[in-house]
Amino acid sequence: DLVALITAQLQKPLQSIRAFLDDLNQDKYGLQSDKGKSLVNLALRSSGRMANLVNDLLDSEKIESGEIELNMTEVSISEVLETSVATLQ
């Protein structure tokens, strides 16, 4: 399937980028100013969101193919929204 192929092709380079950003975030190379740390942290969060989107695409394909079943439960929409807003900040 095309979506599975594309997402698989996105995962490997994204993992490499995240690993490098994590090394930078831990200042393993000793190259960062305060502004640099802030920018690396922002890039790390953004790449995390991108990884989540790729995983969500894979999951949606699995759901459509019947590979995964959904277990529906009630949730608090205010808690979901608060978590989502906190993640984006």
Side-chain angles (χ1 to χ4, degrees):
D1 174 68
L2 183 61
V3 173
L5 176 66
I6 291 170
T7 52
Q9 293 298 316
L10 287 172
Q11 279 183 323
K12 286 204 181 232
L14 188 55
Q15 288 171 349
S16 296
I17 291 167
R18 288 187 47 79
F20 179 68
L21 288 170
D22 191 45
D23 285 349
L24 284 176
N25 194 43
Q26 295 176 26
D27 204 18
K28 287 188 176 180
Y29 308 109
L31 303 172
Q32 287 188 41
S33 63
D34 287 339
K35 179 153 177 87
K37 288 178 186 179
S38 176
L39 292 172
V40 167
N41 200 12
L42 175 64
L44 196 54
R45 286 194 318 266
S46 294
S47 65
R49 282 196 296 272
M50 182 178 268
N52 287 338
L53 287 171
V54 169
N55 289 332
D56 288 348
L57 275 172
L58 282 172
D59 288 346
S60 69
E61 282 296 305
K62 289 177 183 177
I63 291 166
E64 285 182 22
S65 71
E67 215 174 309
I68 292 178
E69 274 188 45
L70 293 179
N71 295 321
M72 306 274 241
T73 60
E74 288 188 28
V75 296
S76 165
I77 191 67
S78 61
E79 286 180 25
V80 172
L81 289 174
E82 285 175 19
T83 302
S84 296
V85 168
T87 302
L88 295 174
Q89 292 177 343

